[in-house]
Amino acid sequence: MHRLLAFTERNRKEILRDPLSYIFCLGFPLVMLIIMTLVDQSIPKEAGMTVFHIENLAGGILVFAQTFIMLFTAITVAKDRSGSFLIRMYATPMTSRDFIGGYILPMLLLYLIQALITVITAFIIALITKADLKISGLILGIVLGLPSAVLFIGFGLLAGTLFNEKAAPGMCSILISLGSFLGCIWFDADATGGVMLKICRCLPFYYCTKTVRAAMQLQFTGNAFWKPLAIVSICAVVILTLAILAFRRRMRADLA
Amino acid sequence: MKAIEIKGLTKRYKTKVAVDHMDLTVEEGELFSLLGVNGAGKTTTIRMLSCLSEPTEGEAHVLGFDVRTQPNEVKARIGISPQDTAVADNLTVRENLEFMAAVYGKHGTQAKEKVEEMIRIFRMEEVAHTRAKTLSGGWKRKLSIAMALIGAPKLLFLDEPTLGLDVLARRELWQAIEAMKGKITIVLTTHYMEEAEQLSDRIAILIDGRICAVGTLAEIEAISGQKGLENAFVEIAGKGRTIDA
Ligand SMILES: Nc1ncnc2c1ncn2[C@@H]1O[C@H](COP(=O)(O)OP(=O)(O)OP(=O)(O)O)[C@@H](O)[C@H]1O
Ligand SMILES: [Mg+2]
């Protein structure tokens, strides 16, 4: 456990000392919330667009921001693999468990900081726009956003393990676009319906947003909350397991 | 117990035999140098002995443990300073050392003392708070070696430790290595004959993955019929080349 925590600490420092992490992981949700709220203000009421109302937007941005943590995980892992540092660590008593845990934990920490910034900003916006967002809902949103955070960290670990430093960010951008679009962050698939909704329902991203939005709005009904939560959790476990298997395999191959 | 016992150790890549049926014994407390031209197989040998590369054939015991079946026992007792300096870039010198100390199970005051000791030995006081990525090549290498030592290994692998060091830094490092002599076993590779001459108890010369000569400096000189390690090396390694060609 000590080794895992030592590696976590190293990764935490490596990440938080990279200015990009502040821009993407921390500054980004804040700016997006403000901009999209301004956009929302200029959409006429008759249009009936509700995705950009803060009570919907907050959950969407919280999930969207996680996709950048995925990108960061991928970059961190791919970068380590391309250098000689990780190889050197293979000759120490560090096990694959230490490596994997040490990559995941600091990313979860990054998520918590990010989510905190998101909900605080959302809370202030809700006060200004007199929207119905409760502190309890926002806090639950952070906690219930965890399975989805794990899912994205798993995707990141997988991308960083399978692809090199150049290709991994590219693969992640595809997932970022897919995730934000099919995650229904910028439009309401439930209202649109049709083929779009069917496609969204085939991928986990839609359920990520749905879970967090429901939690923030304190709507704990089966269809709005429990079902999506179960789907996200299962996907998170599956993807993370795949990522761990891939990482172990890669480690064994590096030591061949 | 022998520090290293190798029998028929072989590493075959798709197109190349990097290490070819190597037999070798290194005594405990010995400083052993592996010499050889580029591509002779020095790094590959060290990688196999430090569980970073699986032998294709043969056996290797390090500190009594089999590198194939007991890698965890081996890894807990060795230190390696790889040919490419390997440090965590965004961590400071001190943080790199603290991290490595923790990896080898050192905590609290014990870890602190060890870190300070390394900073003192390698005279890194002035760069202790500098991030590794902004260090000069020589400082990086010193840090990389200090990181290999911080776990108090019984066996230390130094793959070209003085590559890129200035004359003064090289002398300093020699002193540091000499101070460790006898306390731990050290396996060193280098392209500087002067360095091997000054530091080694025994020397092996590798040609194309095979050991062509092994012994003390005097023995190597006798084998080659030349005076001085450089001349002896040129004689032995040079011949190996012409035979091959
Ligand atoms: N992963 C690999 N795949 C294929 N061939 C390899 C691999 N690693 C090393 N080799 C080959 O094995 C041979 C021995 O390489 P090695 O790195 O052990 O040499 P060396 O003695 O350390 O050389 P140098 O003095 O340049 O560091 C070389 O011909 C090299 O090209
Ligand atoms: Mg080498």
Side-chain angles (χ1 to χ4, degrees):
Chain A
M1 200 60 193
H2 279 297
R3 287 190 301 262
L4 194 158
L5 292 179
F7 195 56
T8 300
E9 180 65 7
R10 175 260 171 178
N11 289 331
R12 185 188 66 80
K13 284 180 183 147
E14 290 267 353
I15 296 159
L16 291 184
R17 282 173 191 179
D18 186 345
L20 274 183
S21 58
Y22 289 94
I23 298 170
F24 279 111
C25 294
L26 306 178
F28 178 82
L30 192 140
V31 172
M32 280 313 266
L33 276 173
I34 295 172
I35 291 178
M36 295 325 280
T37 302
L38 292 176
V39 168
D40 189 39
Q41 299 291 315
S42 50
I43 295 175
K45 276 218 163 54
E46 304 80 65
M49 280 268 287
T50 56
V51 262
F52 295 152
H53 291 357
I54 192 66
E55 59 271 25
N56 285 321
L57 186 66
I61 296 290
L62 187 124
V63 172
F64 189 38
Q66 293 176 343
T67 61
F68 286 93
I69 293 187
M70 162 181 74
L71 177 68
F72 247 73
T73 314
I75 293 176
T76 307
V77 177
K79 209 154 108 194
D80 269 358
R81 285 203 308 107
S82 74
S84 46
F85 177 74
L86 196 63
I87 295 286
R88 165 197 206 135
M89 296 314 296
Y90 287 167
T92 68
M94 295 265 298
T95 60
S96 56
R97 203 194 63 146
D98 298 329
F99 286 114
I100 294 163
Y103 281 126
I104 295 173
L105 283 184
M107 295 303 168
L108 283 176
L109 182 78
L110 195 59
Y111 162 68
L112 289 178
I113 302 173
Q114 188 185 58
L116 212 61
I117 292 176
T118 309
V119 301
I120 290 171
T121 315
F123 184 69
I124 295 169
I125 292 175
L127 282 183
I128 296 169
T129 60
K130 303 199 174 55
D132 184 26
L133 256 187
K134 302 203 171 51
I135 291 185
S136 55
L138 287 169
I139 292 170
L140 280 172
I142 296 180
V143 177
L144 294 163
L146 273 169
S148 138
V150 171
L151 173 70
F152 282 110
I153 293 170
F155 273 128
L157 184 58
L158 197 60
T161 306
L162 296 180
F163 304 105
N164 66 23
E165 210 181 340
K166 289 206 182 76
M171 296 312 285
C172 286
S173 343
I174 295 176
L175 282 178
I176 292 176
S177 318
L178 269 183
S180 62
F181 192 64
L182 299 177
C184 305
I185 292 163
W186 311 129
F187 76 102
D188 187 358
D190 287 323
T192 322
V195 186
M196 209 52 225
L197 181 61
K198 286 207 179 91
I199 298 174
C200 291
R201 280 184 163 163
C202 294
L203 290 165
F205 313 116
Y206 166 79
Y207 302 101
C208 295
T209 337
K210 214 169 156 78
T211 310
V212 177
R213 277 185 181 146
M216 283 188 173
Q217 294 162 15
L218 300 168
Q219 289 174 0
F220 297 109
T221 58
N223 270 340
F225 176 74
W226 293 107
K227 201 177 119 197
L229 178 68
I231 294 174
V232 174
S233 304
I234 292 167
C235 289
V237 170
V238 170
I239 293 297
L240 191 65
T241 309
L242 282 178
I244 291 172
L245 290 177
F247 187 88
R248 289 196 167 175
R249 215 186 137 115
R250 184 50 70 106
M251 189 171 161
R252 268 200 305 276
D254 286 343
L255 295 178
Chain B
M1 191 188 60
K2 309 282 186 209
I4 299 174
E5 259 190 303
I6 299 175
K7 279 199 198 88
L9 194 67
T10 301
K11 182 77 194 185
R12 219 173 281 127
Y13 292 109
K14 277 192 193 86
T15 54
K16 168 104 198 164
V17 184
V19 175
D20 194 0
H21 294 93
M22 183 188 281
D23 296 315
L24 182 69
T25 309
V26 176
E27 301 291 334
E28 246 176 299
E30 201 171 26
L31 196 148
F32 191 91
S33 291
L34 278 178
L35 306 183
V37 296
N38 295 130
K42 307 178 293 292
T43 300
T44 308
T45 307
I46 289 185
R47 282 170 52 83
M48 284 191 282
L49 294 175
S50 48
C51 309
L52 286 177
S53 175
E54 181 117 9
T56 321
E57 242 179 70
E59 262 182 55
H61 283 84
V62 168
L63 301 162
F65 299 100
D66 189 330
V67 292
R68 273 182 211 270
T69 57
Q70 300 168 293
N72 295 337
E73 272 76 9
V74 174
K75 287 177 185 176
R77 291 166 179 82
I78 62 165
I80 174 170
S81 161
Q83 184 167 348
D84 317 308
T85 45
V87 298
D89 276 336
N90 274 325
L91 265 53
T92 66
V93 167
R94 179 171 268 117
E95 286 166 348
N96 263 291
L97 292 169
E98 284 166 352
F99 166 63
M100 267 322 221
V103 165
Y104 284 100
K106 306 220 173 332
H107 309 289
T109 48
Q110 196 199 7
K112 269 214 176 64
E113 276 167 19
K114 215 59 199 155
V115 169
E116 295 316 317
E117 186 191 333
M118 286 304 140
I119 290 178
R120 206 172 50 243
I121 292 177
F122 291 94
R123 311 228 174 126
M124 293 188 292
E125 290 88 354
E126 56 174 304
V127 293
H129 293 288
T130 309
R131 294 209 188 153
K133 69 171 161 202
T134 62
L135 291 175
S136 75
W139 282 114
K140 257 192 201 165
R141 191 157 283 278
K142 285 194 215 174
L143 172 59
S144 186
I145 295 170
M147 284 163 74
L149 268 173
I150 202 153
K154 288 211 168 70
L155 171 60
L156 177 65
F157 293 103
L158 297 173
D159 199 351
E160 304 196 24
T162 57
L163 184 73
L165 291 193
D166 65 54
V167 180
L168 298 181
R170 174 167 299 156
R171 292 280 157 104
E172 252 176 52
L173 186 60
W174 287 359
Q175 279 174 15
I177 293 174
E178 276 183 325
M180 293 183 277
K181 266 186 78 166
K183 292 182 204 139
I184 61 175
T185 313
I186 302 174
V187 173
L188 174 108
T189 80
T190 179
H191 289 296
Y192 302 104
M193 296 304 134
E194 187 197 357
E195 180 168 304
E197 217 167 52
Q198 165 138 7
L199 297 173
S200 332
D201 296 313
R202 282 198 311 144
I203 296 162
I205 297 177
L206 252 72
I207 301 173
D208 288 329
R210 278 183 300 255
I211 292 182
C212 289
V214 58
T216 59
L217 175 60
E219 286 165 351
I220 298 268
E221 284 175 334
I223 295 170
S224 65
Q226 299 283 332
K227 194 88 198 98
L229 185 58
E230 181 138 356
N231 293 329
F233 180 81
V234 171
E235 175 74 19
I236 296 171
K239 263 214 185 110
R241 261 202 177 163
T242 40
I243 292 166
D244 244 43

